[in-house]
Every structure is written in C-alpha cells, then in structure tokens.
Amino acid sequence: MGLRANHLICAWLRGLSKSSYILALLALSLTPVIAVSTGLHNSSRTFTPVSEMNRADWNDPVEMERVWQAALVRIPKPGGKYLATTIKELHAHNLRGDGKLPAVIYLHGCSGIWEGTHMRIDFLAANGYAVIAPPSMARKKYPKSCEPEQLRGGLYRDTLRIRQYDAGYAIEKAKTLPWVDADRIFLMGLSEGGITVATFRSKSGDASVRARVIEGWTCQAGWREYRGIKAPEGEPVLTLLGANDPWFQNPYTGGECTGFVKKRNDGSKSVVYTQEDLSHKHGLLEDARVRTEVLNFLHAHQ
C-alpha cells in the first residue's frame, strides 16, 4: 500500500465514531491479506510484458470469465448489514430472487483491489445496494498499467479496452442473477475504473445501465479513446473530482468533466470540489459529504 493510500485511509478513520473506528481497523487488517494472497493488487501481481499482449486477449471469454468468478460481492441485509462473498462462492449461500435488488458494478483503479475498494463497496451495500466488483487483475494475462507511487499511469494504452470488456461482461452476467433487478444496475468506478465508466459503450441493450458514477477523473486525455463521456441518452452521469487532483496536473489530463456532461442525460451532474480538504484528493469517497452526494444521485435514479 502506497503513502497516498495510507493518508486517505487515515483521513477516513478520523471521521468515524470510536466503535466504527475499531471495526474499521479490524477490517483493514484483513483486506490487504486478501488482495495480496490473490494477486489482485500491484504489490502482489506478476504482470504480463506488453510485448506478449495482443488484441485477442482483450475480450478473451476465458479471461473475462476469470474476472467474473473472482468478483467481490456484497449483498445488503436489513439494518445496514451485508453479506460479503464472491461470485465463485455464491453457491454456498441460499440466495433467492424473492426481492430483487438495485446493483452497482464497481470498477477498481489501476492498482487493483485495496482497502479503499472494500470501503466503497461496503458503504454501498450498507445503504441497500448489491455490489459486484470485477477485479481485472484476476486475468492470467494482464499488463501493468500504472506506478501509483509516482502518480504515473498509461503504461499500457489498451488496458482501457480490457477494462471495458470486463465491465460489459459483468453487467450482462449480473442481469442474469435472480436477486438483481436488471433494470436498476449502476456502473461506478474510481480513477482508471472511473475512466472505464466514462468511456464504456454498451455493445447491446444487455449491457446498458441505469446511471453512472465517476470518481477521480477529469475526462481529459491525450489519447482520444480516453477522452469525454460516452454514456448514451438516458444514462445520467455523476462525476466527482478534486479541483487539484494530483494525478492530473499535466496539459493532457488537466481540467474537469463538466463540459462533457450532456443535457440530454437528464439528472447528470459534475461536481468539482474546491474546498481545501478535498481539492487535492484523488479518492473522494472517504469524505461523508461525497458519500451523501453519491447516495442522493443513486436514490434519485432508481
């Protein structure tokens, strides 16, 4: 875990009550072990050399199924509780489709699954949303896409294609689950996951979503396919950005998503945080104000 990630976690912990603080520490002590032991984080993953990647790898059905089976799952229970499992282990739980749930397909950032991933999906589940978080690093062939300690991304340009295929596959598979409301599926992501959310195009109606949430991305890029918001009419978008996000302080990625938010997507909103305590942050959902913004948006578009 990098220094920036540790700072974000500390800021999040400071805002919790004493009892929640203790529970959070226990959870955080376990989640790094999960990520490291399964190779789902930069620190534990052996990456495929770029020279060994080819177009056929991007949407290889076997690879996409690996990601799906490894997906983290959260299923809400009464009283703000939730079941934590994976797609692979779903068979061990007697889940029925008596009451279909709104669901969020959550996409991690370039460094993979980390404590912040667990915090975000747990938060969504505690507020009534089923969550499925497909970890693209579960692929057998996967190139390194960033150096988080150096705030350097874009090491493999076509990582975006891989992430888009994994997102579409997860959306389509989620719609077949008996406890998921196929008409109330949301797409949400942080950083590289947010770029994927912004640029994802549904190849068919089977991969359409109700709305999208983008955290920590400017919608600006030197590479054309990374630029803008590709949500079709009828899919509202919420974008969240620190005005001085340290990841995007260059001529290619500086800016914000506001100009790309289309009026035709009724209910869309671009939020740029200029407050001193938020303006320099990349991950924003550690803050209660941002979490409220997200919940209000999701509730409004159910």
Side-chain angles (χ1 to χ4, degrees), residues 72-98:
L72 306 181
V73 175
R74 297 291 185 270
I75 300 174
K77 300 292 184 182
K81 298 180 180 180
Y82 49 86
L83 168 67
T85 185
T86 64
I87 290 294
K88 187 176 182 179
E89 299 300 324
L90 274 179
H91 67 277
H93 307 282
N94 186 26
L95 300 175
R96 298 178 298 175
D98 297 340

Side-chain angles (χ1 to χ4, degrees), residues 171 226 231:
I171 294 167
Y226 279 66

Side-chain angles (χ1 to χ4, degrees), residues 4-44:
R4 273 193 54 75
N6 285 332
H7 286 168
L8 290 173
I9 294 164
C10 289
W12 170 54
L13 289 172
R14 283 196 295 271
L16 300 178
S17 65
K18 184 176 180 180
S19 59
S20 297
Y21 180 89
I22 294 171
L23 291 173
L25 284 178
L26 289 172
L28 292 178
S29 69
L30 295 175
T31 50
V33 176
I34 296 171
V36 170
S37 64
T38 54
L40 301 180
H41 186 267
N42 266 19
S43 63
S44 57

Side-chain angles (χ1 to χ4, degrees), residues 26 46 53 60 65 67 84 140 149 174 216 220 223 280 302:
L26 289 172
T46 299
M53 296 297 300
D60 183 336
E65 181 63 18
V67 174
K140 186 175 181 180
E149 300 302 328
Q220 311 283 346
W223 290 332
H280 290 82
Q302 283 200 52

Side-chain angles (χ1 to χ4, degrees), residues 42-287:
N42 266 19
S43 63
S44 57
R45 167 77 204 209
T46 299
F47 292 100
T48 305
V50 171
S51 61
E52 295 179 14
M53 296 297 300
N54 59 71
R55 292 178 63 93
D57 296 321
W58 305 346
N59 63 343
D60 183 336
V62 175
E63 291 281 50
M64 292 190 293
E65 181 63 18
R66 283 195 183 99
V67 174
W68 173 249
Q69 289 297 322
L72 306 181
V73 175
R74 297 291 185 270
I75 300 174
K77 300 292 184 182
K81 298 180 180 180
Y82 49 86
L83 168 67
T85 185
T86 64
I87 290 294
K88 187 176 182 179
E89 299 300 324
L90 274 179
H91 67 277
H93 307 282
N94 186 26
L95 300 175
R96 298 178 298 175
D98 297 340
K100 292 183 179 292
L101 298 164
V104 177
I105 304 299
Y106 181 82
L107 307 181
H108 61 74
C110 68
S111 62
I113 302 296
W114 64 295
E115 290 93 334
T117 307
H118 288 266
M119 183 279 286
R120 285 160 173 77
I121 65 177
D122 291 349
F123 153 70
L124 291 166
N127 284 279
Y129 294 87
V131 188
I132 299 173
S136 289
M137 286 189 187
R139 286 170 170 252
K140 186 175 181 180
K141 291 184 69 175
Y142 195 78
K144 191 172 189 177
S145 65
C146 71
E147 293 282 2
E149 300 302 328
Q150 301 171 25
L151 302 183
R152 188 164 70 97
L155 303 186
Y156 180 62
R157 180 171 178 171
D158 292 312
T159 292
L160 183 61
R161 304 297 189 195
I162 293 172
R163 301 299 308 275
Q164 290 167 341
Y165 279 118
D166 287 344
Y169 192 83
I171 294 167
E172 292 185 13
K173 296 285 280 189
K175 289 187 176 184
T176 69
L177 296 173
W179 40 271
V180 168
D181 186 338
D183 293 324
R184 291 191 295 162
I185 292 182
F186 300 86
L187 187 60
M188 177 174 173
L190 165 66
S191 196
E192 183 181 275
I195 301 173
T196 308
V197 172
T199 59
F200 176 75
R201 293 179 188 269
S202 174
K203 303 299 182 185
S204 67
D206 291 338
S208 62
V209 295
R210 194 65 170 255
R212 309 183 186 200
V213 179
I214 302 164
E215 178 190 5
W217 175 230
T218 63
C219 300
Q220 311 283 346
W223 290 332
R224 183 178 58 182
E225 69 272 24
Y226 279 66
R227 184 177 172 84
I229 295 175
K230 306 302 191 297
E233 185 174 356
E235 286 186 12
V237 180
L238 171 65
T239 71
L240 307 164
L241 177 71
N244 300 297
D245 189 319
W247 272 89
F248 309 122
Q249 297 302 307
N250 63 65
Y252 302 105
T253 59
E256 59 188 65
C257 292
T258 304
F260 294 103
V261 173
K262 302 292 192 298
K263 292 181 179 179
R264 66 185 183 186
N265 289 6
D266 188 40
S268 292
K269 187 177 183 181
S270 174
V271 182
V272 180
Y273 293 96
T274 58
Q275 300 95 319
E276 184 61 30
D277 59 338
L278 287 175
S279 65
H280 290 82
K281 292 183 180 292
H282 183 53
L284 296 162
L285 270 165
E286 283 75 12
D287 188 273

